[in-house]
Amino acid sequence: MIWLTFLPAALALTLGVALGAASLPLHPSWGARLLVTVAATTTVATIGTLVFVTVNYAATLFPRTAARLPEWALFGDDRPVPAALGVPATALTCLGVATAARLSAGWAREVRQAQRISQGVVESDTPMALAVPGREGGVLVSRGLLRALDRAQLRVVFEHEASHLRHRHHHYLALGALAAGTVPLLRPLNTRLRFALERWADEDAAEAIGDRTLVAHTIARVALAHSSRAPEPPPFPAFTGSGVVQRVEALLDTAPGKNTISGPVILGGAALATGLLVSSAWQLDHALGLTFL
């Protein structure tokens, strides 16, 4: 084993941390796509590297079993993995798998609960609206929201939530939550992803209605009326779920460019680069080990 084994995951993590710290000069739709792509590939590269080290540590402990493993699953130089590296890698792998299972189960449970009540109105004085995914989903609203807003403002809410459903933003949120839960360094990136998804829906609502000021005022009004004692929203899009002040300021400014050329180019480049890192996370050490023989 050589230190280059960890290079792909390190590079992917560096990119993920950088995107979590920097604001992207892209339309929110392209920004969200870029962030979720990097979150997913970085998680796969990181967890994949840990699994790779764990498998090779197990091969060190049980050499007879190692003879049955395919060659690509083992380090190219056949050196034993020290316990100082193998034990933490094994522990982190188990923790990552357990975290992913817990998050997935929790997500499924929350979706089922919301779907059961998404066809009606929640009897709550707290103004809220949620985009509930799935065939039995829809837009979940509270009685307090219906009382707080007029017809034009309610249209803003439904256009916003319809954007979440149309673009399947719950998939983005699930991947972001999984990345943040299994790789804590990606938590800032997940925060930016959630904000980008809300901005994406805001821009769709503003375009559909043709009044950016009305959208901004509706978001501000619902946020001000939303009780600070309200329970935490489920892990899918909520109307005032992220960065309300920044969203209102963005809507009161000019509309962002569509990035019809730069958006696909940047997304494609990032997907290619991180995809190569993911594939090399399993193959780099073996290839270099053969090269150095």
Side-chain angles (χ1 to χ4, degrees):
M1 181 187 67
I2 56 178
W3 66 270
L4 286 174
T5 301
F6 303 96
L7 182 60
L11 291 175
L13 272 173
T14 299
L15 178 59
V17 171
L19 289 178
S23 178
L24 299 173
L26 292 171
H27 188 277
S29 61
W30 291 111
R33 292 183 178 108
L34 175 61
L35 290 169
V36 77
T37 298
V38 173
T41 52
T42 299
T43 302
V44 172
T46 303
I47 300 301
T49 299
L50 290 173
V51 171
F52 191 34
V53 175
T54 299
V55 169
N56 281 266
Y57 179 58
T60 299
L61 297 178
F62 308 102
R64 291 184 179 179
T65 304
R68 302 177 183 177
L69 294 175
E71 191 173 350
W72 57 263
L74 300 174
F75 290 132
D77 56 13
D78 294 329
R79 295 178 185 174
V81 177
L85 182 61
V87 171
T90 302
L92 289 173
T93 298
C94 294
L95 179 61
V97 171
T99 300
R102 176 178 56 80
L103 290 173
S104 299
W107 177 274
R109 183 175 59 254
E110 293 280 1
V111 170
R112 288 194 300 270
Q113 290 175 351
Q115 285 176 341
R116 284 197 292 268
I117 58 174
S118 63
Q119 303 304 320
V121 176
V122 178
E123 296 298 333
S124 171
D125 292 331
T126 300
M128 69 175 198
L130 301 172
V132 182
R135 292 182 179 179
E136 300 179 2
V139 179
L140 176 63
V141 298
S142 67
R143 187 71 65 185
L145 182 78
L146 297 177
R147 287 197 294 260
L149 304 181
D150 59 29
R151 183 180 298 271
Q153 292 169 331
L154 285 173
R155 186 188 170 198
V156 170
V157 173
F158 282 99
E159 289 289 352
H160 176 101
E161 301 303 333
S163 173
H164 284 314
L165 294 173
R166 184 168 61 253
H167 299 297
R168 300 180 182 275
H169 286 170
H170 57 285
H171 291 160
Y172 293 67
L173 292 173
L175 287 171
L178 184 62
T182 55
V183 185
L185 288 175
L186 296 180
R187 288 175 182 173
L189 184 147
N190 183 46
T191 299
R192 286 196 177 276
L193 171 61
R194 298 183 71 91
F195 176 72
L197 292 173
E198 293 303 325
R199 286 282 299 116
W200 185 351
D202 290 344
E203 292 298 332
D204 278 359
E207 186 173 350
I209 291 173
D211 189 343
R212 298 178 64 81
T213 301
L214 174 61
V215 177
H217 288 172
T218 302
I219 293 172
R221 181 168 184 176
V222 174
L224 290 173
H226 196 280
S227 172
S228 60
R229 294 172 294 177
E232 288 294 321
F236 26 83
F239 186 67
T240 54
S242 179
V244 170
V245 174
Q246 294 88 340
R247 288 166 57 195
V248 169
E249 290 175 346
L251 285 164
L252 294 177
D253 201 350
T254 57
K258 293 288 189 178
N259 300 126
T260 53
I261 296 177
S262 58
V265 169
I266 292 174
L267 177 62
L272 178 61
T274 54
L276 289 173
L277 290 174
V278 169
S279 61
S280 62
W282 285 85
Q283 298 294 333
L284 181 63
D285 180 90
H286 185 70
L288 290 175
L290 292 177
T291 301
F292 294 152
L293 288 178

